[in-house]
Amino acid sequence: MDLFLMFYLHRNIINSKVDEQFETLLANGANHRDVLMEYYSNTTIKHIVLMERDANREVIITDQQGEILGISEINAELIDQVKPYLVGLQTDKDKVLVSDWHDSPYIVSAHPYDINTGQSGYVIMLSSTISIHEMVADLSLHFAIAGVTSFIVLFIVYAVLSKVITRPLIRMKEATEKLSEGDFQVRLSVSSKDELGELAGSIQKLANDLERLKSERNEFLASIAHELSTPLTYLIGYSKVMSRGNLTEQERQQYLEIIVEESNRMKELMKNLLDLAKMDENSFTVKKAFFAARPFFEGIHKLIEPSFAMKNMKLTLLCEGEYQLFADALRLEQIVINLLDNALNYSDEQSEVILQVSQNEEKTIISVMDSGIGIPANEIAFIFEKLYRVEKSRSRAFGGSGIGLSVVKELVEAHGGTIEVKSKRGKGSTFTITI
Ligand SMILES: Nc1ncnc2c1ncn2[C@@H]1O[C@H](COP(=O)(O)OP(=O)(O)OP(=O)(O)O)[C@@H](O)[C@H]1O
Ligand SMILES: [Mg+2]
């Protein structure tokens, strides 16, 4: 494309330069002819001839017989060249006689003059084609230099572009291929700040996230396996003991209770895991509707209070105004019960738990306050993670599996709400939900 353009330009420039030469030649010839016609005399002929002596142009003035009246350079070769054109020359207009600047040493034009019947003839102009050839050679050299330079520049641009664009792209392609094969150990250098740099950054982030998810998943599976194996050990152990027979009725009752308790714990765990799985798949939906707050919370209070009573604890509901809630009632109940369940589990006997509901502009604020064992400050950040339990042994003793709060958090967020915790070790905790 470039070559074609340059060739075209070259051609055009040469043509216009050559045209220029012809125009000058014709203009000069016409000029001489006009002077000759105005002041026809031998002196005028001499002057005209003299004027062209030094230039690389020549002039010949002929009479009606074709005899030469004046010539700017007495040159046999030149006369021989022109002679054939002069024989039988018949034109009453200015005319180019020789236009072939390629092969001929001169380009030639003829300009007829006519003073009176006895005095007519031609002013013949000749211009050496050497200057045209020189000009063409000069131009070709310039074009060759420009061509080579542009080729070199193009090559450099190509090299730079391939370094700046292609190489990072190839590296990213390799990185994504590695990712799709399950190898997340990808290191991309993110040096530039442009779109390519951003893309590399995103791929790196994706790789890091996938790596993190992979290890999280492994940890998660390990925790679940551990969670399930503990109750199973109890179930198998006590079933074996019971199958041996020779047990007192009291022992039998005790073992059965343990079996039921552990089975329930497994069932609870399964239910929570299923909920989590659904949330991860985004296959559960929150169906929001308006409903009155007070009856809703009173219902929960009624449901849960017996558990508190069994531990000699008090559950107080503070819900003053007639609020309307806009939420998924079933999910909200799950949220509140989970929080109350924690407050119950992680508090000492005789203590009080307060469930407070209030409204702030458009939002409803639900807090669960206990004065239980609290959460160490350095662990607060983790309690919403799946299967995270503060001091594993401690909540094992309380029967927790570390899923409740992660379910709560997902549900609250699915409602477009937020959850906050304030806790002091040994003093108690407050969980506040804004929905
Ligand atoms: N009100 C609270 N007071 C003190 N510690 C709490 C309280 N709520 C939660 N925690 C701590 O946070 C951890 C995570 O709570 P989460 O509800 O997720 O799990 P869990 O109660 O152990 O098990 P699950 O609720 O799944 O049966 C708990 O193990 C517990 O140590
Ligand atoms: Mg819990």
Side-chain angles (χ1 to χ4, degrees), residues 265 268-269 272 338-347 368-370 372-376 379 382-392 394-396 398-408 421 423 428-431:
R265 183 188 282 190
E268 235 358 77
L269 177 66
N272 282 337
N338 252 305
L339 292 181
L340 290 176
D341 188 46
N342 280 348
L344 171 70
N345 281 339
Y346 306 113
S347 299
V368 176
M369 288 166 265
D370 67 51
I373 55 177
I375 304 162
E379 303 210 45
F382 307 110
I383 54 171
F384 293 105
E385 281 177 19
K386 287 167 199 161
L387 296 179
Y388 190 87
R389 294 180 322 213
V390 176
E391 292 167 24
K392 312 268 176 211
R394 150 176 143 184
S395 80
R396 175 87 238 159
F398 292 109
S401 61
I403 290 184
L405 281 180
S406 53
V407 174
V408 166
V421 204
S423 188
S429 321
T430 303
F431 286 79

Side-chain angles (χ1 to χ4, degrees), residues 215-283:
S215 70
E216 257 179 28
R217 187 192 60 184
N218 288 346
E219 267 173 41
F220 185 60
L221 284 178
S223 314
I224 289 179
H226 177 79
E227 271 329 294
L228 287 179
S229 74
T230 320
L232 270 177
T233 316
Y234 282 109
L235 287 183
I236 295 168
Y238 284 107
S239 312
K240 271 190 186 150
V241 173
M242 283 181 72
S243 68
R244 271 198 234 115
N246 62 32
L247 294 173
T248 64
E249 185 55 28
Q250 198 196 354
E251 281 174 325
R252 222 175 65 91
Q253 198 57 39
Q254 192 194 341
Y255 295 162
L256 259 179
E257 260 168 31
I258 293 173
I259 288 176
V260 169
E261 205 177 283
E262 292 297 318
S263 305
N264 273 334
R265 183 188 282 190
M266 274 177 76
K267 195 177 138 214
E268 235 358 77
L269 177 66
M270 282 301 152
K271 202 177 122 244
N272 282 337
L273 279 177
L274 272 176
D275 269 350
L276 266 192
K278 273 194 215 147
M279 281 174 212
D280 275 355
E281 273 175 19
N282 280 333
S283 61

Side-chain angles (χ1 to χ4, degrees), residues 150-190:
S150 71
F151 185 76
I152 293 173
V153 169
L154 219 80
F155 184 79
I156 294 174
V157 168
Y158 171 78
V160 170
L161 280 189
S162 85
K163 193 168 162 43
V164 173
I165 294 179
T166 323
R167 291 241 190 95
L169 275 179
I170 291 175
R171 258 185 243 125
M172 284 184 232
K173 180 180 155 267
E174 285 166 357
T176 46
E177 275 167 6
K178 259 173 93 179
L179 289 185
S180 75
E181 280 162 14
D183 179 358
F184 306 134
Q185 302 280 359
V186 167
R187 288 288 157 267
L188 283 172
S189 63
V190 187

Side-chain angles (χ1 to χ4, degrees), residues 35-74:
V35 172
L36 191 63
M37 282 176 70
E38 189 112 340
Y39 312 102
Y40 187 81
S41 73
N42 279 341
T43 324
T44 312
I45 293 178
K46 262 191 202 143
H47 276 161
I48 292 174
V49 163
L50 211 70
M51 269 163 74
E52 296 293 0
R53 187 142 284 171
D54 293 329
N56 60 359
R57 260 190 327 251
E58 310 299 342
V59 61
I60 298 173
I61 300 169
T62 63
D63 63 9
Q64 64 260 58
Q65 276 85 39
E67 287 305 318
I68 294 171
L69 298 179
I71 182 162
S72 59
E73 194 179 330
I74 322 280

